[in-house]
Amino acid sequence: MQLRHGLVVGWIVVALIISQGVSATPETRSGLCNCEAVRLLSMRSPPLKGPDVVELQERLTRLGFYRGPIDGIYGSTLAQAVKKMQATLGLPVNGKMDERTWEALALYETRPAGALLSPPTGEISILVDIDTQTLIVYSDGVPYKLYPVAIGKPESPTPAGEWVITEKAAGWQGATGIRWMRLSNPWGSYGIHGTNNPMSIGQMASAGCVRMFNEDVAELYEWVNIGALVVLKRGGTVSPMRALFKTGAVGQDVVYLQWRLRQLGFDPGRADGVFGEETARAVAAWQKYRGLKVSGVVDENLLFLFGLL
Amino acid sequence: MLATILTSLFCLALWLWWRLLPGRQIYPEIRPEKKYSVVLWDFDRPLAGHESYREELLSEIQAFNRDFPNIEVDVKLFPWDQGEQVATAILRRQDVPDVLSSGPIENLDFGRRVLLSPQHLTEESRLGYVPLAMSALEQGGEYAFWPRYIKPQLYLANTNLLQIAGVELSTLEQYGLGWADMLELGQKLSQLPARPFVLASFDYEGLLTAVAPREVEEASAASSNWPQKAAVTAAARLKQLQDRGFLPPNASQDNYSGVREFFAGQAALLAPAEPWLIRAVEGRSDRIERGLLDPGENRPFPTALIAPKLDPTSGLPAQVEVLVVFRRRRAADEIRAAVELAQHLSRSGTLSAKLDLLPAYGPSQDTWCEAWELGNEATLLQVCEHGRIVSPYPNTGLEGKDVLGRIK
């Protein structure tokens, strides 16, 4: 997946957006999930500082608009760079990073879509490998297309598990880009969406959602229906486990328990992070098969035997 | 003269009786031009890693069909928890297969429905099976079953704790662990600052078996239930361990009783250690080594398998899964087809490692060792080479708390 940038492409995309009149709301946080706020940046006294200013300086440096220091201070040099970019993109030139300018910057950075594939004809499912930050679309269980993605930061990890798409929304949504697909995760609001920061793709950058390039998510959006299976897979160590699992328990540790049960040959149903009847039945089947007293409850003893503690 | 004629007629009658009784015929050959059909009943089992037991079994049958392409095997798999229903159906003659894999069925007393196999399980072929497995197969003085898998029960020891306590591991490995050894171990462990426990287990009957393997043997020889005397002896020992603080506090509970203490390095022995439990312990260490699990404070430690201290003629608590051939057909060659299938399945070692069971057939052990992929296989195989089997977990008829409550 080679990233390419081009002024022509940027112009076309920006012109398209402006012509479509996509709203530039003052909202700074997506209402769809917990993704980061988009701060309005401008010259102020004292000057604005912060990681988003650093990010802006880096992005404008990469695009050739900014040649100053990467110091996280929104000074006059940076404001000039913003003006230069606004002029280039046909935006009102005011030196302010408002919602519309952020959006235009994101789309300007966006790579052109790769060779278009014909839509897959089989049943669509999605695998996101959190470790390699890739999303693979499957058609009838056969890999169809691979996309790079951004996943959650260490402090806001992407929830591993087996989810389904429960909601779809199109249109510019600020931090979630031009498309949004909600996942059925029971303990938070997570989804697959586009971005206002394409440079973050391939990094641990989100608040837990799966971020894609806008044109990628637009393509995927057309292929995926409500109810499609989305597996978010993570290797490495399991998260902290609670000491006792009973029916009704919800959380990331339940997903790891469900996956472990399946590895051991006992099917808990979809690893949906809910210790429901199917999971309890799988635990009971394991206990029965091993000749132990059947309780359907998982305590520390069982967690040790499962290799989860 | 008359005596000679009468004797000849008697011998002829005897031969005819032997020849015509189903399953008693002279060992016939499979006729290559004839099509045979054998009905196999088995129980579905979970296999790790998304594999299907049915598919694995079918691939074993495919291997069988390479030798006997004209024997068609009709496989019926029952859910694991339907052992009793299947046994009842056979006893009531509602339906009977040619070959049954015993799986979860504990009582295999099917009487005359079972084909006894002195002429099929010849002395020569018996040599291939490990002695521990063969000891379980007699019924009414004759071999009634083909052994398939073995589940011996041993002690799994935290060798770090044994070393710190000053207990000679090699001696225990050589001579086994007896009741006196257990008390001595407890005494030594109690001198340590952390006062680790002697024994952890996962159920009450397991604890009884662990502290009184000889009583298990006596109980096994006497009946399927623990004689009261043996149960009281075993429970008294448990009480003694508990009073001295050698057992985790929850050891008298019916269900899990201190597995976590063993994994946390707070108990020297885990028992009874069946192959699946050994694999669970080693599997956890393996997951930690591969970075799949952060053990926190509960770091893995080296382990060793120790057998119960029993005299050379005594048995080892173990379970054996077997294959049963039924008298379902009259034609001798058709019975032979069922016998060949039972023999083939009893000798395959491929599946046993995936099922956390030991193969009963010695020559399959190499395959088993490769597939097991974890340590401790040498000890496991070694214990099968001597002793005879006794049934573990005879029913006390008493709840754990009741028994301990009575021992004051």
Coordinates of all heavy atoms in Angstrom, one line a residue, chain B residues 234-287:
Chain B
A234 N -8.7 -42.8 54.6 CA -8.3 -41.7 53.7 C -8.7 -40.4 54.3 O -7.9 -39.4 54.3 CB -8.9 -41.9 52.3
A235 N -10.0 -40.3 54.8 CA -10.5 -39.0 55.3 C -9.7 -38.6 56.6 O -9.4 -37.4 56.8 CB -11.9 -39.1 55.6
A236 N -9.3 -39.6 57.4 CA -8.6 -39.3 58.6 C -7.2 -38.7 58.2 O -6.7 -37.8 58.9 CB -8.4 -40.6 59.4
R237 N -6.6 -39.2 57.1 CA -5.3 -38.7 56.7 C -5.5 -37.2 56.2 O -4.7 -36.4 56.5 CB -4.8 -39.5 55.6 CG -4.2 -40.8 56.1 CD -3.6 -41.6 55.0 NE -3.1 -42.9 55.5 CZ -2.6 -43.8 54.7 NH1 -2.6 -43.7 53.4 NH2 -2.2 -45.0 55.2
L238 N -6.6 -37.0 55.5 CA -6.8 -35.6 55.1 C -7.0 -34.7 56.3 O -6.5 -33.6 56.3 CB -8.1 -35.6 54.2 CG -8.0 -35.8 52.8 CD1 -9.3 -35.5 52.1 CD2 -6.9 -35.0 52.1
K239 N -7.7 -35.2 57.3 CA -8.0 -34.4 58.5 C -6.6 -34.1 59.2 O -6.4 -33.0 59.6 CB -8.9 -35.2 59.4 CG -9.2 -34.5 60.7 CD -10.3 -33.5 60.5 CE -10.8 -32.9 61.8 NZ -10.8 -31.5 61.8
Q240 N -5.8 -35.1 59.2 CA -4.5 -34.9 59.8 C -3.7 -33.8 59.1 O -3.1 -33.0 59.7 CB -3.7 -36.3 59.8 CG -2.7 -36.4 60.8 CD -2.0 -37.8 60.8 OE1 -2.6 -38.7 60.3 NE2 -0.8 -37.9 61.3
L241 N -3.7 -33.9 57.8 CA -3.0 -32.9 57.0 C -3.6 -31.5 57.2 O -2.9 -30.5 57.4 CB -3.0 -33.2 55.5 CG -2.3 -34.4 55.0 CD1 -2.5 -34.6 53.5 CD2 -0.8 -34.3 55.3
Q242 N -4.9 -31.5 57.3 CA -5.6 -30.2 57.5 C -5.3 -29.6 58.9 O -5.0 -28.4 59.0 CB -7.1 -30.4 57.3 CG -7.8 -29.1 57.1 CD -9.2 -29.3 56.7 OE1 -9.9 -30.1 57.3 NE2 -9.7 -28.6 55.7
D243 N -5.3 -30.5 59.9 CA -5.1 -30.0 61.3 C -3.7 -29.4 61.4 O -3.4 -28.5 62.2 CB -5.3 -31.1 62.3 CG -6.8 -31.4 62.4 OD1 -7.6 -30.6 62.0 OD2 -7.1 -32.5 63.0
R244 N -2.8 -30.0 60.7 CA -1.4 -29.5 60.8 C -1.1 -28.3 59.9 O 0.0 -27.9 59.7 CB -0.4 -30.7 60.4 CG -0.5 -31.8 61.4 CD 0.6 -32.9 61.0 NE 0.5 -34.0 61.9 CZ 1.4 -34.9 62.0 NH1 2.5 -34.8 61.3 NH2 1.3 -36.0 62.8
G245 N -2.1 -27.9 59.2 CA -1.9 -26.8 58.3 C -1.2 -27.2 57.0 O -0.6 -26.3 56.3
F246 N -1.2 -28.5 56.6 CA -0.5 -28.9 55.4 C -1.4 -28.8 54.2 O -0.9 -29.1 53.1 CB 0.0 -30.3 55.6 CG 1.0 -30.5 56.7 CD1 1.4 -31.8 57.1 CD2 1.6 -29.4 57.3 CE1 2.3 -32.0 58.1 CE2 2.6 -29.6 58.2 CZ 2.9 -30.9 58.7
L247 N -2.7 -28.5 54.3 CA -3.6 -28.4 53.2 C -4.1 -27.0 53.1 O -4.3 -26.3 54.1 CB -4.8 -29.3 53.4 CG -4.7 -30.8 53.2 CD1 -6.0 -31.5 53.4 CD2 -4.2 -31.1 51.8
P248 N -4.5 -26.6 51.9 CA -5.1 -25.3 51.7 C -6.4 -25.3 52.5 O -7.0 -26.3 52.7 CB -5.4 -25.1 50.2 CG -4.4 -26.1 49.6 CD -4.2 -27.2 50.6
P249 N -6.8 -24.1 53.0 CA -8.0 -24.0 53.9 C -9.3 -24.6 53.2 O -10.2 -25.0 53.9 CB -8.1 -22.6 54.2 CG -7.0 -21.9 53.5 CD -6.1 -22.8 52.9
N250 N -9.4 -24.5 51.9 CA -10.6 -24.9 51.3 C -10.6 -26.3 50.8 O -11.4 -26.7 50.0 CB -10.9 -24.0 50.1 CG -9.8 -24.0 49.1 OD1 -8.7 -24.5 49.4 ND2 -10.0 -23.4 47.9
A251 N -9.6 -27.1 51.3 CA -9.5 -28.5 50.8 C -10.6 -29.4 51.1 O -10.8 -30.4 50.4 CB -8.2 -29.1 51.4
S252 N -11.5 -29.0 52.1 CA -12.6 -29.9 52.4 C -13.8 -29.6 51.5 O -14.8 -30.3 51.6 CB -13.0 -29.8 53.9 OG -13.4 -28.5 54.1
Q253 N -13.7 -28.6 50.7 CA -14.8 -28.3 49.8 C -14.9 -29.3 48.7 O -13.9 -30.0 48.4 CB -14.7 -26.9 49.2 CG -14.8 -25.8 50.3 CD -14.6 -24.5 49.8 OE1 -14.4 -24.3 48.6 NE2 -14.5 -23.5 50.7
D254 N -16.1 -29.4 48.2 CA -16.3 -30.5 47.2 C -15.6 -30.2 45.9 O -15.2 -31.1 45.2 CB -17.8 -30.7 47.0 CG -18.5 -31.1 48.2 OD1 -17.9 -31.9 49.0 OD2 -19.6 -30.7 48.5
N255 N -15.6 -29.0 45.5 CA -15.0 -28.7 44.2 C -13.5 -28.3 44.4 O -12.9 -28.7 45.3 CB -15.8 -27.6 43.5 CG -15.8 -27.8 42.0 OD1 -15.1 -28.7 41.5 ND2 -16.5 -27.0 41.3
Y256 N -13.1 -27.4 43.5 CA -11.7 -27.1 43.5 C -11.1 -26.7 44.9 O -11.7 -26.0 45.6 CB -11.4 -25.9 42.5 CG -12.1 -26.2 41.2 CD1 -13.3 -25.5 40.9 CD2 -11.6 -27.1 40.4 CE1 -13.9 -25.8 39.7 CE2 -12.2 -27.4 39.2 CZ -13.4 -26.8 38.9 OH -14.0 -27.0 37.7
S257 N -10.0 -27.3 45.1 CA -9.5 -27.0 46.5 C -8.0 -26.7 46.4 O -7.1 -27.6 46.7 CB -9.7 -28.3 47.3 OG -9.3 -29.4 46.6
G258 N -7.7 -25.6 45.9 CA -6.3 -25.1 46.0 C -5.4 -25.3 44.8 O -4.2 -25.3 45.0
V259 N -6.0 -25.4 43.6 CA -5.1 -25.5 42.4 C -4.3 -24.2 42.4 O -3.1 -24.3 42.0 CB -6.0 -25.7 41.2 CG1 -5.2 -25.5 39.9 CG2 -6.6 -27.1 41.2
R260 N -4.9 -23.1 42.7 CA -4.2 -21.8 42.6 C -3.0 -21.8 43.5 O -2.0 -21.2 43.2 CB -5.1 -20.6 42.9 CG -5.6 -20.5 44.3 CD -6.2 -19.1 44.5 NE -5.4 -18.0 44.2 CZ -4.4 -17.6 44.9 NH1 -4.1 -18.2 46.1 NH2 -3.6 -16.6 44.6
E261 N -3.1 -22.5 44.7 CA -1.9 -22.5 45.6 C -0.7 -23.2 44.9 O 0.4 -22.8 45.1 CB -2.3 -23.2 46.9 CG -2.9 -22.3 48.0 CD -4.3 -22.0 47.7 OE1 -4.9 -22.6 46.8 OE2 -4.9 -21.2 48.5
F262 N -1.0 -24.2 44.2 CA 0.1 -24.9 43.5 C 0.7 -24.0 42.4 O 2.0 -23.8 42.4 CB -0.4 -26.2 42.8 CG 0.7 -27.0 42.1 CD1 1.6 -27.7 42.8 CD2 0.8 -26.9 40.7 CE1 2.6 -28.4 42.2 CE2 1.8 -27.6 40.1 CZ 2.7 -28.4 40.8
F263 N -0.1 -23.3 41.6 CA 0.4 -22.5 40.6 C 1.1 -21.3 41.2 O 2.1 -20.7 40.6 CB -0.7 -22.0 39.6 CG -1.1 -23.1 38.6 CD1 -2.2 -23.9 38.9 CD2 -0.3 -23.2 37.5 CE1 -2.5 -24.8 37.9 CE2 -0.7 -24.2 36.6 CZ -1.8 -25.0 36.8
A264 N 0.7 -20.8 42.4 CA 1.3 -19.7 43.0 C 2.6 -20.1 43.8 O 3.2 -19.3 44.5 CB 0.3 -19.0 43.9
G265 N 3.0 -21.4 43.7 CA 4.2 -21.8 44.4 C 4.0 -22.0 45.9 O 4.9 -22.0 46.6
Q266 N 2.7 -22.2 46.3 CA 2.4 -22.3 47.7 C 2.0 -23.7 48.1 O 1.5 -23.9 49.2 CB 1.3 -21.3 48.1 CG 1.7 -19.9 48.2 CD 2.8 -19.8 49.4 OE1 2.5 -20.1 50.5 NE2 3.9 -19.2 49.0
A267 N 2.1 -24.6 47.2 CA 1.9 -26.1 47.5 C 2.9 -26.9 46.8 O 3.1 -26.7 45.6 CB 0.4 -26.4 47.1
A268 N 3.4 -27.9 47.4 CA 4.5 -28.7 46.8 C 4.0 -29.7 45.8 O 4.7 -30.1 44.9 CB 5.3 -29.4 47.9
L269 N 2.8 -30.3 46.1 CA 2.3 -31.3 45.2 C 0.9 -31.0 44.6 O 0.1 -30.4 45.4 CB 2.1 -32.7 46.0 CG 3.4 -33.2 46.7 CD1 3.0 -34.4 47.6 CD2 4.4 -33.6 45.7
L270 N 0.6 -31.4 43.4 CA -0.7 -31.3 42.8 C -1.1 -32.7 42.5 O -0.4 -33.4 41.8 CB -0.7 -30.4 41.6 CG -2.0 -30.1 40.9 CD1 -3.0 -29.5 41.8 CD2 -1.8 -29.3 39.6
A271 N -2.2 -33.1 42.9 CA -2.6 -34.5 42.7 C -4.2 -34.6 42.7 O -4.8 -33.8 43.3 CB -2.0 -35.4 43.7
P272 N -4.7 -35.6 42.0 CA -4.0 -36.5 41.2 C -3.7 -35.9 39.8 O -4.6 -35.3 39.2 CB -5.0 -37.7 41.0 CG -6.4 -37.1 41.3 CD -6.2 -35.9 42.2
A273 N -2.5 -36.1 39.3 CA -2.1 -35.4 38.1 C -2.3 -36.4 36.9 O -1.6 -37.3 36.7 CB -0.6 -35.0 38.2
E274 N -3.5 -36.2 36.2 CA -3.7 -36.9 35.0 C -3.0 -36.2 33.9 O -2.6 -35.1 34.0 CB -5.2 -36.9 34.7 CG -6.0 -37.7 35.8 CD -7.5 -37.8 35.5 OE1 -7.9 -37.3 34.4 OE2 -8.2 -38.3 36.3
P275 N -2.9 -36.9 32.7 CA -2.1 -36.3 31.6 C -2.7 -34.9 31.2 O -1.9 -34.0 30.9 CB -2.3 -37.3 30.5 CG -2.4 -38.6 31.2 CD -3.2 -38.3 32.4
W276 N -4.0 -34.7 31.3 CA -4.5 -33.3 30.9 C -4.0 -32.3 31.8 O -3.7 -31.1 31.4 CB -6.0 -33.3 30.8 CG -6.8 -33.4 32.1 CD1 -7.2 -34.5 32.7 CD2 -7.1 -32.3 32.9 NE1 -7.9 -34.1 33.8 CE2 -7.8 -32.8 34.0 CE3 -6.9 -30.9 32.8 CZ2 -8.3 -32.0 35.0 CZ3 -7.3 -30.1 33.9 CH2 -8.0 -30.6 34.9
L277 N -3.9 -32.6 33.1 CA -3.5 -31.7 34.1 C -2.0 -31.3 34.0 O -1.6 -30.2 34.1 CB -3.8 -32.2 35.5 CG -3.6 -31.2 36.7 CD1 -4.6 -30.1 36.6 CD2 -3.7 -31.9 38.0
I278 N -1.2 -32.4 33.7 CA 0.2 -32.2 33.4 C 0.4 -31.2 32.2 O 1.2 -30.3 32.2 CB 0.9 -33.5 33.1 CG1 0.8 -34.4 34.4 CG2 2.3 -33.3 32.7 CD1 1.0 -35.9 34.1
R279 N -0.5 -31.5 31.2 CA -0.4 -30.7 30.0 C -0.8 -29.2 30.3 O -0.3 -28.3 29.7 CB -1.3 -31.3 28.9 CG -0.9 -30.9 27.5 CD -1.7 -31.6 26.5 NE -1.4 -31.3 25.2 CZ -0.3 -31.7 24.5 NH1 0.5 -32.6 25.0 NH2 -0.1 -31.3 23.2
A280 N -1.8 -29.1 31.2 CA -2.3 -27.7 31.5 C -1.2 -26.9 32.2 O -0.9 -25.8 32.0 CB -3.5 -27.8 32.4
V281 N -0.4 -27.6 33.1 CA 0.6 -27.0 33.9 C 1.8 -26.6 32.9 O 2.3 -25.5 32.9 CB 1.2 -27.9 35.0 CG1 2.4 -27.2 35.7 CG2 0.1 -28.1 36.0
E282 N 2.1 -27.6 32.1 CA 3.2 -27.3 31.1 C 2.8 -26.3 30.1 O 3.6 -25.5 29.6 CB 3.7 -28.6 30.5 CG 4.3 -29.5 31.5 CD 4.9 -30.8 31.0 OE1 4.6 -31.1 29.8 OE2 5.7 -31.5 31.7
G283 N 1.6 -26.4 29.7 CA 1.0 -25.5 28.7 C 1.1 -24.0 29.1 O 1.4 -23.1 28.4
R284 N 0.8 -23.8 30.4 CA 0.8 -22.5 31.0 C 2.3 -21.9 30.9 O 2.5 -20.8 30.5 CB 0.3 -22.5 32.4 CG 0.4 -21.1 33.1 CD -0.2 -21.2 34.5 NE 0.0 -19.9 35.1 CZ 1.0 -19.5 35.9 NH1 2.0 -20.4 36.1 NH2 1.1 -18.3 36.4
S285 N 3.2 -22.8 31.3 CA 4.6 -22.4 31.3 C 5.0 -22.0 29.8 O 5.7 -21.0 29.6 CB 5.5 -23.5 31.8 OG 5.2 -23.8 33.1
D286 N 4.5 -22.8 28.9 CA 4.8 -22.6 27.5 C 4.2 -21.3 27.0 O 4.9 -20.5 26.3 CB 4.2 -23.8 26.7 CG 4.6 -23.7 25.2 OD1 5.8 -23.6 24.9 OD2 3.7 -23.7 24.4
R287 N 3.0 -20.9 27.5 CA 2.4 -19.7 27.1 C 3.2 -18.5 27.6 O 3.3 -17.5 27.0 CB 0.9 -19.6 27.6 CG 0.0 -20.5 26.8 CD -1.4 -20.7 27.4 NE -2.1 -19.4 27.6 CZ -2.8 -18.8 26.7 NH1 -2.8 -19.3 25.5 NH2 -3.4 -17.7 26.9

